């Protein structure tokens, strides 16, 4: 199983970016998908989560600016980031809790490689 993230880059404050993360491999089903971020010298923090039913949860710092969504047919999660601020600068890492065709009883958390988002002031 692999999670491939894309969409990061350099943007000015107030701008927008859209991140994507596609899961591939012997996936049976995906429960929760989410985005985390880690800024230099800081701990990894949760940005947003979405369940397979479409329920979402956001960090207070991004509420009203970021929107998480998913395409279950494509095993892909998205993060639309608007009104970006310099403090949003971080490596954004996707996460998925899924089970595989080899073992449908156990859900395991998989992590993507991260994509860098840099917001200039």
């Amino acid at each position: 199983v692999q999670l491939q993230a894309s969409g990061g880059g350099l943007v000015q404050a107030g701008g927008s970016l859209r991140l994507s993360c596609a899961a591939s491999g012997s996936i049976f089903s995906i429960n929760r998908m989410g985005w985390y971020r880690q800024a230099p010298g800081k701990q990894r923090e949760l940005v947003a989560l979405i369940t397979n039913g479409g329920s979402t949860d956001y960090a207070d710092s991004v509420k009203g600016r970021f929107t998480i969504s998913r395409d279950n047919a494509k095993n892909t999660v998205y993060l639309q980031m608007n009104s970006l601020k310099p403090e949003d600068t971080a490596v954004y890492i996707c996460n998925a809790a899924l089970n595989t065709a080899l073992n449908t009883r156990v859900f395991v958390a998989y992590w993507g490689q991260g994509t860098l988002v840099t917001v200039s002031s």
Side-chain angles (χ1 to χ4, degrees):
V1 174
Q2 289 187 330
L3 271 63
Q4 183 68 44
S6 61
L10 173 64
V11 64
Q12 287 189 333
S16 298
L17 281 175
R18 188 190 193 214
L19 306 182
S20 300
C21 177
S24 62
S26 300
I27 298 168
F28 185 76
S29 66
I30 302 178
N31 186 359
R32 187 180 62 190
M33 303 185 83
W35 289 94
Y36 292 72
R37 67 186 181 186
Q38 187 163 16
K42 294 187 177 181
Q43 290 188 331
R44 184 175 297 186
E45 63 174 355
L46 173 67
V47 176
L49 290 173
I50 185 167
T51 69
N52 55 1
S55 297
T56 59
D57 193 18
Y58 297 92
D60 288 341
S61 59
V62 306
K63 283 181 180 177
R65 300 187 298 123
F66 291 10
T67 302
I68 189 170
S69 62
R70 63 191 282 175
D71 184 333
N72 291 330
K74 296 181 179 179
N75 290 336
T76 300
V77 62
Y78 305 96
L79 186 68
Q80 178 65 44
M81 305 185 293
N82 299 328
S83 302
L84 282 161
K85 304 175 180 179
E87 51 263 43
D88 294 318
T89 295
V91 174
Y92 284 71
I93 307 155
C94 59
N95 171 274
L98 58 89
N99 57 0
T100 68
L102 294 177
N103 189 345
T104 61
R105 299 180 183 181
V106 178
F107 282 82
V108 177
Y110 287 84
W111 295 89
Q113 85 286 6
T115 184
L116 177 62
V117 172
T118 303
V119 185
S120 63
S121 56

